[in-house]
Amino acid sequence: MTRHIHHDLKVYGSIKLYAGTGSPELAQKISDYLGEPLCERDVIEFPNENLFVKLRSSVRGQDVYVIQTTSQPVHRNLMELLIMLQTLRLDSAARVTAVIPYLAYGRSDKKDQPRVPITARLVTDMIEIAGADRYMVIDPHAGQVQGFFSIPGDVLTAYHLITDYFMRQRTQMVEPVVVSVDLGFAKKGRNLAAALDAPMAFIEKRRSTNNATAEALTLIGTVAGKDVILVDDEVDTGGSICEAVNLVKKEGAREVYVAFVHAILSANAAERLASLPIRRIVTTDTVPIPPAKQAILADRLDILSVASLLGEVIRRAHEGRSVGEMFNE
Amino acid sequence: MTRHIHHDLKVYGSIKLYAGTGSPELAQKISDYLGEPLCERDVIEFPNENLFVKLRSSVRGQDVYVIQTTSQPVHRNLMELLIMLQTLRLDSAARVTAVIPYLAYGRSDKKDQPRVPITARLVTDMIEIAGADRYMVIDPHAGQVQGFFSIPGDVLTAYHLITDYFMRQRTQMVEPVVVSVDLGFAKKGRNLAAALDAPMAFIEKRRSTNNATAEALTLIGTVAGKDVILVDDEVDTGGSICEAVNLVKKEGAREVYVAFVHAILSANAAERLASLPIRRIVTTDTVPIPPAKQAILADRLDILSVASLLGEVIRRAHEGRSVGEMFNE
Amino acid sequence: MTRHIHHDLKVYGSIKLYAGTGSPELAQKISDYLGEPLCERDVIEFPNENLFVKLRSSVRGQDVYVIQTTSQPVHRNLMELLIMLQTLRLDSAARVTAVIPYLAYGRSDKKDQPRVPITARLVTDMIEIAGADRYMVIDPHAGQVQGFFSIPGDVLTAYHLITDYFMRQRTQMVEPVVVSVDLGFAKKGRNLAAALDAPMAFIEKRRSTNNATAEALTLIGTVAGKDVILVDDEVDTGGSICEAVNLVKKEGAREVYVAFVHAILSANAAERLASLPIRRIVTTDTVPIPPAKQAILADRLDILSVASLLGEVIRRAHEGRSVGEMFNE
Amino acid sequence: MTRHIHHDLKVYGSIKLYAGTGSPELAQKISDYLGEPLCERDVIEFPNENLFVKLRSSVRGQDVYVIQTTSQPVHRNLMELLIMLQTLRLDSAARVTAVIPYLAYGRSDKKDQPRVPITARLVTDMIEIAGADRYMVIDPHAGQVQGFFSIPGDVLTAYHLITDYFMRQRTQMVEPVVVSVDLGFAKKGRNLAAALDAPMAFIEKRRSTNNATAEALTLIGTVAGKDVILVDDEVDTGGSICEAVNLVKKEGAREVYVAFVHAILSANAAERLASLPIRRIVTTDTVPIPPAKQAILADRLDILSVASLLGEVIRRAHEGRSVGEMFNE
Amino acid sequence: MTRHIHHDLKVYGSIKLYAGTGSPELAQKISDYLGEPLCERDVIEFPNENLFVKLRSSVRGQDVYVIQTTSQPVHRNLMELLIMLQTLRLDSAARVTAVIPYLAYGRSDKKDQPRVPITARLVTDMIEIAGADRYMVIDPHAGQVQGFFSIPGDVLTAYHLITDYFMRQRTQMVEPVVVSVDLGFAKKGRNLAAALDAPMAFIEKRRSTNNATAEALTLIGTVAGKDVILVDDEVDTGGSICEAVNLVKKEGAREVYVAFVHAILSANAAERLASLPIRRIVTTDTVPIPPAKQAILADRLDILSVASLLGEVIRRAHEGRSVGEMFNE
Amino acid sequence: MTRHIHHDLKVYGSIKLYAGTGSPELAQKISDYLGEPLCERDVIEFPNENLFVKLRSSVRGQDVYVIQTTSQPVHRNLMELLIMLQTLRLDSAARVTAVIPYLAYGRSDKKDQPRVPITARLVTDMIEIAGADRYMVIDPHAGQVQGFFSIPGDVLTAYHLITDYFMRQRTQMVEPVVVSVDLGFAKKGRNLAAALDAPMAFIEKRRSTNNATAEALTLIGTVAGKDVILVDDEVDTGGSICEAVNLVKKEGAREVYVAFVHAILSANAAERLASLPIRRIVTTDTVPIPPAKQAILADRLDILSVASLLGEVIRRAHEGRSVGEMFNE
């Protein structure tokens, strides 16, 4: 029989949490969940825009997690993440995990026309070359982005949170139907519908044959007299979601709920959403929503926090325990 | 002004076409299209199953294209491709392009549950490590597989062929409607529908809540009295497609056409298809269909060849001309 | 003086043993030796031949050993190994060791003619890219295959087992002489002869000058009236070994023993061996011998198990103890 | 004797020039110098700040040069460069050269305190991973940055332009002395002084012992009654250069000239320079100086263009001719 | 709250110290400082000059430090280091750190003329490819060599030792002034001067305009009547330092001290130094000084040992504690 | 049909030959064979032993061959090769081929005991990291070294030259028998014997069982009254070959010829060979034999030049023609 070795895992020193400047509140909540403080570091922007990072204490041999979202300012946040990763690697951390609640450029994931980039792959390459040993992301645009990374990681989903939300609302809703705003999102929408035991419908967008720029929207499936849950992975300028709201309303929807994970809300997306007959807007804090935008939507906005999700996965990753178990998978 | 240099491109020697044993007829058609012979090589399988490849002539400094599909026998075909790539690289070819009409393991493209592989990435890694400088594939399950490769390549589609086929059938069809068999295929289905100026419908498959193995199919959209074109990227055992045929028939479809790119047709798929009320089965030769299976389906089977598509792309790749232009993109 | 740190090694969590489907009995014996169970995993082959692997429990931070031989079905076994390696890596195992009792393609280890592959290097590259951190192999055709790997590993030999076997037989043997069947194996044969304190002879095979396919065999050294131990690393179709038996018999050998590590026994090798005047056939279980073939050879076949060898090396690798010590080296 | 092969080089197709949005005027001048047009491409910034690039024509097999400076907006310009490089690589360009007149983050070239990044190495890694085969930079902060790249490149200097400028001014100057503003720049300053056959002096900056933030400046060497040429590689906020002007004036300098390659001029640097008794400010167009800032300095500003330098090096790189020859080296 | 895990770090087994043959005395002193023995290993040079290394005990899972300087015989010492690194990696050490007190080829750190190597980068590449996970070097010629490595490491300085030495001498010195022998060393010289609160001067070397090989030396700053500390990073043939001594003496220096870290002392450097009016020569043991050379300089030579510096950094690296703290940084 | 492109290959500019200092005469002969001059370059050794290389003309876009043997001084020659490779790569050569007539450390090609290096793999890694795109070597100790390289190359043999030599001697020889000095060389010896249509014998060396250092030699096969050709790949100190000569003489050999490719001849090997009853010593110029050693052996030494072999392979590699054809393979 084998000589006994203690079976508790001690591979990577202690958890060390670092936060970029992209999502400080979420980072603090994760820290609170774990009961582990955010480590002190300086992040300085010089007048020439160059960023500088200095860790206040050594991470030699430690198990480090850098929490940084890559929403706006996108390129600054991304570069800050990369510099932090390199700094931690050069300080001889035992393992560095990039915790990226929202991964920028996720929609540039294939060449659907000639002579264009696959920027999502460029971004994953940059994260690896900077020094990440592992990564965590939430609901990337396509799950296939896992295959862009050479390093292992945890691709998590916030749809459990959104499902739970609507399960709680269920009794107050009339014949809910899940409507996928984008055909590329059809499969994820189906999962939400199945969890809610609700039927589905789709919005198909098609370029008009005699007018290159105009697009025609069609609803496939029925929503008349039903409560509609419009779902998508992210809302950017809000253009698609606004058209979708109008379409389902025109098709006779009763109440309209809008659910999406990543609240980019660029340009005047908040104002556009506010002007529509939406009952509730359900999203998460993978991207920080500025107070001004929250104010515009406040009475109808529900922000579900991914902090305990990320916190629990960090804890399990550190302790070498299964993450899949969290979801009974 | 710059000293003049001849602007015709001569970078990579001559085209040298090599064929694996996976799809010899398609390879011959490509050779015919290009007017370039298939180069001679020995492929030997020893009694211990080990494969051996020997090139009959040198490829030093040449621009080599290896045509090998990776359908059944999958692992033998894949290994044969890899050995050919390595042999060509070690013989100092200037550039080696893996031309893979059907890329195996394309559906294993993400971890949609914990503790499973992303075999598509493994396969792309193997192709690169063996020595491919470039690749060509036709309609991989997800377009994102482009981002799995670190090398450049051409991801081509045979839907232009299928679209053209139905455009020619158009006048004989009654109110054609395109029905996507799988929600993950919704977007590609939409493109076909848009090209045909036809409406769409979807089949949603959902695991029954009180019986884990049973699945319930729902048609979203309407097909009653219309000619249905069922589309998918590949047909393996034919299970989904057969259910789909039955469902649209039950929902009142007039004629049913089935269209898919990759004719895997494993197990008794041919027999199952033959037993159904399908008017035409439209597919391509990315995967060779054995004569016996063709016989079963013969009177209703239309096989569109991808030979001129691949041949033209090889020519343009060799000459340094745009591939996008071929599709007015 | 340095601050004290516990010196027992706890780097890589617990031993986790996984078995491929290539050699389940050997894997079970290794498990028994170590007193560590084989971890549960699903290996599924879909109708399209694609393999799918799912681990039943998490290996995060663990020290994992995948036991998989790569004998027939060669390419399926190899692909299964690679997929398991990737799956374990993506599940964040701390260290993954590929334990490969028999490494396929070992004889394709150099270009001894132009325009051929070095498939052994391709195979080692594939093992590395899939995610192995270390490897273990037994008696590869050429020891130099160690230099094909970039990762560290243990190249083990089963000749200690074979030597011990003949040491026990020694008293019953008359003037034993070790005869190397292949000149490329001369040095390993010498080691066995030296351990038994027996003389050597060689069989030289030479292509006849006036007939390209015929080969002439010559015995160099003397065997008349002696007990001959014919040695080689593997027996495939048995052609060489059968010629060798006939030759030494013709040269007056008394009893003939045949010893080899890897019992490939493809085609009708078992029948051929059974028909010859061989006293004992000594081999190992690096390659599983199907019951039918064992039956053919049963009364003269001795299968020495490498299970305790591999088990002990796994234990020492896990505990950070010397493997060389096992052999008093 | 060897069979004759034409010795003119035709390796990499034609020159294709692409310009990022960071320095369009310089790119146009290079294009004019070479008589080669800038290729058309779209660079779009979406409302979510994500950048998108599309080439208007194919670059398959061509010899491509991307001209992009990485001054402000630093991170956007850098990302745009990286995306262009990847796009060109994925479109199968034969060779891609990143032409970067000013390389951001050059001063972060070593860890001169613990737990800080080496961002210059991160940037060079990013350029390589994105797809550059070669690079060109002008006067990086430290010449050692060449060793950060794994790819070959041309590190060029604009000091020849500055030397020529002062050679033309020579007759009007009284006993010119070259003063290095920063000790790290001492060696490059010496080269300029040697070319002008002028003596040198140095400014030493030292942190005051009894006040951590105050810094004491000392002039080492003599400037009294002489015309001073203050030299540095870049001017950012202008702090050091302004202190230097005041110091040499206090030490009795007659006229003061300021010369530097990279005109970052962040914050109110232009205003600060304008307020000082400087006769001429000599710089280059590696960084575009906005018209407003030019206006502030206009009567004393001389901008030397690096366009013909870069153009000539591009031409020679394309034609396979020596670049060293340009400088009689 | 997170499940508790012991926070003392046990990642990399025990410290194992190995010494090359390049600097055995320094290695022994480090061993003494740490209270850890040097591990036994054989280093054999065959008659054909090939080196062979054999470890006497296993390093599986251990934290190994190889101490080897790369002074003369430079290429043999370098190769010995590389072979030891590979041997340790192949024996499955958990981590291998190359401790290189003096890194050869450090001055070949950029292409300051066309068509020359950057040998320092070649050397760092070789150290990485051989198997080092980390490195430690003392005062490389340019700090930027850190950016040549892809692996993390500790770049240490012996100037703290030299500063302390002169602080102790301070009271006996008359108006000490630090003089930098080489302009490339100006910044490091400034740091020493600042620590001693002494002024600086510089020696500028310039090629004479009418005689290509002659060089003119100028002193910038004043030394008359003062005690001069001439500083440089290494002394090779002693040419520059001898010229410098003569120059400062001619300019009226009182006593002259010479300080440098790396005592290469090739050719007749020791004799040259011995013949000059130098009061003390202060250096370190990063390079072993042969007894014969020590004898020549003995009465004026002070060798400061870097053993406790390296020992302490090894200890802290092993224990995962901050190295920066050692210097109050 | 495909648009016509000129089929003569012009990929890599012109041949540029560079010689290291390891084998200048062989390099000159290759140059003469090809009618291409050796390019001028400076190779300087500084007093601190560091080497410096400067190319006298640009190699941008050229097809460069560096001829450098790695015999004594081994490490200096190896480093010189590596520095030249890097210099050529950094100067943007289109392709760099390392032409290494004798590859040092070839015998360290596997771990035949624990805790030793595989230095041959280290050397191949160094050659690749320095910048070689291809390599050429002659008769490496084991052919498997091809699999150590990731880059393609030509592994050539000088046995054709040796075979031709003995074919010419054939008529004067009495019953020639080829005797392999080392069992590891048995297979190559057989090839020579087969080409000469001569029988074989072997020398087996075995450590004596009761005396660890003594070795017993046995001849297997018969040589009495015959002319013996002793063959090996290299002769280092000559120990084995001298024992072999004595043994075959004792066993009754008539004349003894000694043939080997690489004449290392270290220590007093030449003297030892000179003292033995050898008729002719046949070797090549892969390693330069110093005049003094040639003098010792002169009347019995035949040096066959590999210059035309290497020259012809370089020519064919450059022109993209088959090398295998040279040998009717």
Side-chain angles (χ1 to χ4, degrees), chain A residues 8-11 13-14 34 36 58 60-62 89-90 92 315 318-319 321, chain E residues 1-3 5-7 9-11 134 150 152 154 316-317 320-323:
Chain A
D8 46 333
L9 202 76
K10 291 162 190 176
V11 179
S14 308
L34 286 167
E36 297 278 355
S58 172
R60 285 177 186 257
Q62 307 302 331
R89 176 169 62 82
L90 292 183
S92 303
R315 179 187 290 167
H318 177 63
E319 295 177 358
R321 288 193 293 139
Chain E
M1 241 209 57
T2 188
R3 179 161 71 94
I5 303 207
H6 306 288
H7 276 207
L9 202 76
K10 289 161 192 174
V11 179
R134 298 189 77 257
S150 298
D154 293 295
R316 286 165 177 263
R321 288 194 291 139
S322 170
V323 165

Side-chain angles (χ1 to χ4, degrees), chain B residues 91-310:
Chain B
D91 195 45
S92 303
R95 186 170 70 168
V96 181
T97 300
V99 180
I100 310 170
Y102 172 71
L103 182 68
Y105 281 102
R107 290 184 174 236
S108 175
D109 61 357
K110 60 177 174 297
K111 289 174 64 175
D112 46 11
Q113 50 177 319
R115 302 186 295 279
V116 298
I118 306 178
T119 315
R121 172 67 195 252
L122 176 62
V123 169
T124 61
D125 281 347
M126 285 157 70
I127 291 166
E128 287 181 36
I129 202 101
D133 297 299
R134 298 190 76 258
Y135 67 93
M136 295 181 187
V137 297
I138 295 182
D139 289 304
H141 181 59
Q144 285 85 355
V145 82
Q146 296 164 77
F148 291 15
F149 282 103
S150 298
I151 52 175
D154 293 295
V155 171
L156 307 168
T157 180
Y159 284 100
H160 295 291
L161 300 173
I162 291 174
T163 303
D164 290 350
Y165 174 93
F166 283 107
M167 291 301 274
R168 290 190 301 269
Q169 304 283 329
R170 194 68 230 260
T171 54
Q172 303 160 31
M173 294 175 79
V174 175
E175 286 186 73
V177 55
V178 172
V179 179
S180 171
V181 175
D182 183 285
L183 287 184
F185 196 72
K187 216 156 185 175
K188 277 201 169 174
R190 192 267 319 270
N191 294 346
L192 182 61
L196 297 174
D197 199 15
M200 281 212 77
F202 300 92
I203 292 175
E204 191 215 336
K205 198 181 282 188
R206 191 178 291 189
R207 208 155 282 167
S208 160
T209 42
N210 42 14
N211 180 337
T213 58
E215 289 186 317
L217 264 67
T218 317
L219 180 75
I220 303 171
T222 54
V223 300
K226 300 177 178 183
D227 282 0
V228 163
I229 305 172
L230 282 169
V231 292
D232 208 344
D233 60 344
E234 74 180 53
V235 168
D236 179 7
T237 61
S240 297
I241 209 87
C242 292
E243 290 173 337
V245 171
N246 290 332
L247 179 61
V248 296
K249 272 298 188 184
K250 205 184 70 184
E251 297 280 344
R254 195 176 157 274
E255 298 281 12
V256 180
Y257 295 78
V258 170
F260 49 91
V261 176
H262 305 299
I264 305 301
L265 303 180
S266 57
N268 62 339
E271 288 80 355
R272 290 170 87 172
L273 287 173
S275 71
L276 289 172
I278 300 170
R279 190 176 169 92
R280 302 292 318 162
I281 297 165
V282 185
T283 188
T284 77
D285 57 355
T286 58
V287 173
I289 309 178
K293 292 191 180 175
Q294 288 196 35
I296 294 171
L297 298 166
D299 54 335
R300 286 181 289 169
L301 183 65
D302 292 303
I303 303 175
L304 312 175
S305 180
V306 296
S308 58
L309 170 64
L310 286 172

Side-chain angles (χ1 to χ4, degrees), chain F residues 175-252:
Chain F
E175 284 188 74
V177 55
V178 172
V179 179
S180 171
V181 175
D182 183 283
L183 287 184
F185 196 71
K187 216 157 186 175
K188 278 200 169 174
R190 192 267 319 269
N191 294 345
L192 181 61
L196 297 174
D197 199 14
M200 280 212 78
F202 299 93
I203 292 175
E204 191 217 334
K205 197 183 284 189
R206 192 178 291 188
R207 206 156 285 168
S208 161
T209 43
N210 41 14
N211 180 338
T213 57
E215 289 185 319
L217 263 68
T218 317
L219 181 75
I220 302 171
T222 52
V223 299
K226 301 178 179 182
D227 282 0
V228 163
I229 305 172
L230 282 169
V231 291
D232 208 345
D233 59 344
E234 72 181 54
V235 168
D236 180 7
T237 60
S240 298
I241 209 88
C242 291
E243 290 173 338
V245 171
N246 290 331
L247 180 61
V248 295
K249 272 297 188 187
K250 205 184 69 183
E251 297 281 343

Side-chain angles (χ1 to χ4, degrees), chain F residues 50-68:
Chain F
N50 284 13
L51 297 170
F52 177 76
V53 167
K54 182 167 165 61
L55 312 178
R56 289 282 182 85
S57 56
S58 172
V59 294
R60 285 177 186 257
Q62 307 301 333
D63 187 18
V64 184
Y65 297 82
V66 186
I67 303 159
Q68 169 77 329

